[in-house]
């Protein structure tokens, strides 16, 4: 069946590769935090107060069990040596414990907001991040590509004004655009609220007051990400279309007397494919820039969750968020890969040739 | 040489170069022209720009010009160190892998593909948050270099693979040159302009990355950097309070460095890549 269906072959092949990448991402999330000198359990206990109190000992036991850091007896109690120190388990069994917990959706318990599960913190934050990032990146990508294609096709004044602007927009770090917007439109002119995701006098629910305040707070973070995406994508598209316009098939079409709009459609379609790969790569890079954008606008998404966690050495939340971000980027890349396989006949042909 | 001469006739290249040399000059000669003091409180917190302190003071009352010059030096240091590490490691592995193929090349391809999907920033967050005490400026630069070299390796590998079939390389092989000799003498020289462009981009990226992780509160403990100035301004409410001198100058410096390097790179691409020439 696979032999006859190159598209399915492509999808399955990519799925296998992404699964391997996923395993590496999990390993990275486990081993990197353990390379350094900071010890999360000590950090928790330092916050917890006196060591010899019964409740402190219970809390320590809970964490040791959760991270699989200490050996436990058949009753699930932490085994302690004569001086009261827990008996440590090996790194390998810690890793197995971590993978088992992650696969079952248990990311541990927050240290700062004990005993709130990390998963709950992430679930609170993630709708904000998705609603802000996904439409913004896709709209910015579409608009940037249109603008870039137009600049390449028209050249002249339009191009000479647009190109340096786009170059500047893509070179300005994400946080600088955010800071400028907050300062210019939020503080100086007070056109839009400078910080937050909604008016603090409303609560997140399906009411008109909340939704309109959320939409009002949406404008500036949206603009900040949108401008950068448009800048970066239009530059890439411009050079792609310039290249396509010089190819033989365009010259031939012109000699045939084909309509300009039709030629433009063909070049646009061909230049789009590499841009789609660019979108996948850009999503990875955007994760960083967009986190900072959220922090600047104090937007209640994952960026703020990570910032709060870093400031409070809340290790389970940090690794939970980074794991989730890795998975998101993986899924985005996988979707673009599959889409490319459906759109680009060359990829299908290569897969079909491999099968024979 | 012809090409290099042609480069100096392109207005955008000269513009980018002038901008970049300007910031470099500020970093080198600033301390000679301005009394640098980032420790003492010379005035009230968030004192507005005036005659004695051209750019006012920060949240502690420290002179902003001193902070900016010190931060600029640190950011350039991070950029160059990370850029050199990422370019040297990436170029050596990329050139060798592209020419030779084989196991090293396979490992390289897998590693670069992995790191294209796992965001560099996540690796940086995990590494830096686990190293609370030893997070020096040099270590941050090294971490950035070690997480971004795969990108240069991938770029250089493609170029190196395309040179493999050239006649002079085949001639060297027939004459019994060793692989190392061929890579260093027959392939690398042809890629120098390309490697230089990779270095420029890596430097710009490293400066932006340092600023980004400093904004996350994971900046160096032993130094002031432009990112740290921005982070201090944000955490001490300069933004909400409208104290523009605490963040706008640092922001302009970061943007000018990155922008000038991008402009230089784009101009060089236009000269060295014949496909893009009009």
């Amino acid at each position: 069946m696979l032999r006859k269906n190159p598209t399915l072959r492509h999808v399955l092949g990519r799925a296998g590769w992404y699964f391997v990448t996923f395993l590496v991402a999990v390993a990275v999330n486990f081993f990197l935090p353990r390379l350094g000198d900071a010890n999360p359990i000590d950090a928790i206990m330092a916050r917890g107060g006196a060591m010899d109190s019964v409740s402190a000992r219970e809390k320590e036991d809970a964490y040791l069990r959760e991270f699989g850091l200490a050996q436990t007896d058949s009753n699930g109690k932490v085994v302690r040596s004569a001086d009261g120190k827990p008996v440590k388990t090996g790194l390998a069994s810690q890793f197995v414990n971590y993978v088992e917990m992650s696969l079952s959706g248990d990311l541990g318990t927050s240290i700062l907001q004990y005993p709130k599960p990390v998963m709950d913190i992430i679930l609170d934050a993630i709708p904000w991040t998705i609603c802000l990032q996904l439409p913004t990146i896709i709209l910015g990508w579409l608009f940037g590509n249109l603008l870039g294609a137009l600049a390449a096709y028209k050249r002249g004044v339009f191009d000479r004004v647009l190109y340096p602007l786009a170059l500047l927009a893509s070179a300005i770090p994400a946080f600088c655009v955010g800071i400028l917007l907050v300062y210019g439109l939020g503080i100086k002119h007070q056109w839009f609220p400078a910080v937050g995701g909604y008016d603090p006098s409303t609560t997140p629910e399906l009411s008109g007051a909340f939704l309109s305040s959320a939409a009002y707070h949406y404008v500036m973070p949206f603009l900040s990400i949108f401008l950068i995406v448009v800048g970066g994508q239009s530059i890439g598209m411009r050079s792609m279309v310039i290249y396509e316009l010089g190819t033989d098939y365009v010259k031939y079409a012109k000699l045939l007397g084909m309509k300009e709009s039709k030629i433009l459609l063909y070049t646009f379609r061909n230049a789009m494919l590499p841009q789609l790969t660019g979108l996948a790569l850009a999503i990875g890079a955007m994760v960083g820039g967009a986190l900072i954008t959220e922090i600047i606008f104090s937007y209640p998404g994952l960026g703020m969750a990570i910032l709060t966690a870093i400031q409070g050495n809340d290790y389970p939340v940090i690794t939970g968020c980074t794991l989730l971000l890795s998975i998101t980027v993986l899924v985005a890349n996988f979707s673009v890969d599959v889409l490319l396989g459906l759109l680009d006949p060359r990829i299908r042909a290569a897969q079909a040739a491999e099968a024979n | 040489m012809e090409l290099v001469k042609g480069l100096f006739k392109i207005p955008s290249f000269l513009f980018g170069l002038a901008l970049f040399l300007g910031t470099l000059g500020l970093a080198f000669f600033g301390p000679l022209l301005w009394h640098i003091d980032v420790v003492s409180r010379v005035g009230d917190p968030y004192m507005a720009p005036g005659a004695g302190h051209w750019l006012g003071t920060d949240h502690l009352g420290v002179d902003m010009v001193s902070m900016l010059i010190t931060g600029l030096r640190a950011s350039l240091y991070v950029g160059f160190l990370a850029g050199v590490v990422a370019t040297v490691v990436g170029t050596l592995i990329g050139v060798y892998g592209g020419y030779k193929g084989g196991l090293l090349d396979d490992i390289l391809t897998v590693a670069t593909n992995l790191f294209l999907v796992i965001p560099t920033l996540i690796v940086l967050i995990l590494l830096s948050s686990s190293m609370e005490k030893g997070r020096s400026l040099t270590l941050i630069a090294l971490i950035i270099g070690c997480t971004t070299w795969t990108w240069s390796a991938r770029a250089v590998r493609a170029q190196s693979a395309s040179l493999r079939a050239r006649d002079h390389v085949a001639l060297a092989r027939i004459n019994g040159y060793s692989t190392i000799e061929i890579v260093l003498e027959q392939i690398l020289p042809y890629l120098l302009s390309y490697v230089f462009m990779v270095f420029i981009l890596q430097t710009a990226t490293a400066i932006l990355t340092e600023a980004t992780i400093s904004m996350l509160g994971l900046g160096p403990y032993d130094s002031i950097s432009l990112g740290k100035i921005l982070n201090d301004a944000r955490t001490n409410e300069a933004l909400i309070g409208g104290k523009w001198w605490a963040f706008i100058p640092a922001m302009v410096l970061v943007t000018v460095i990155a922008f000038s390097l991008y402009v230089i790179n784009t101009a060089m691409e236009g000269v060295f890549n014949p496909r893009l020439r009009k």
Side-chain angles (χ1 to χ4, degrees), chain A residues 29 57 116 205 232 253 301 344:
Chain A
N29 263 281
R57 172 64 65 90
K116 195 173 184 183
E205 59 189 359
D344 192 343

Side-chain angles (χ1 to χ4, degrees), chain A residues 2 7 58 67 107 199 275 293-294 332:
Chain A
L2 282 180
T7 311
E58 267 173 16
F67 295 117
L107 295 175
D199 197 320
Q275 284 298 95
T293 307
E294 282 186 6

Side-chain angles (χ1 to χ4, degrees), chain A residues 284-309:
Chain A
M286 274 170 216
V287 165
L291 286 184
I292 301 293
T293 307
E294 282 186 6
I295 288 171
I296 292 193
F297 290 98
S298 303
Y299 210 72
L302 274 181
M304 278 312 274
I306 288 192
L307 180 72
T308 324

